[in-house]
Amino acid sequence: MNIVLWTLDVVLCGSLVWLAIQTLATPDLFKASVMFIVFGLLLALVWARLEAPDIALAEAAIGAGLTGALLLTAVASLTKPPEK
């Protein structure tokens, strides 16, 4: 295995673990939602690196795209001031 590809794999794995811990540990819901979207995109890169393009596309579309949009909508409705 090429040293560059091995280094990329290590960086991707380390980034995923770090991002998962930070996403769970942050008290700010908006920040956690954005980090979840970034986590999904990095995970799609990992699936592509593992030569599973169908799973990578599904992860990017559903995991990062659709779920991320739903989370951001939920956070926006939670932080909206109550109507009179």
Side-chain angles (χ1 to χ4, degrees), residues 6-64:
W6 184 83
T7 305
L8 176 65
D9 292 342
V10 170
V11 168
L12 279 174
C13 288
S15 298
L16 281 175
V17 170
W18 180 82
L19 199 55
I21 292 170
Q22 292 300 314
T23 301
L24 293 173
T26 184
D28 184 17
L29 292 177
F30 179 76
K31 186 176 178 182
S33 299
V34 171
M35 286 193 291
F36 179 81
I37 293 170
V38 173
F39 180 82
L41 292 174
L42 277 180
L43 194 56
L45 285 175
V46 169
W47 284 119
R49 179 75 185 100
L50 291 172
E51 297 178 3
D54 51 343
I55 300 174
L57 287 173
E59 177 65 37
I62 298 169

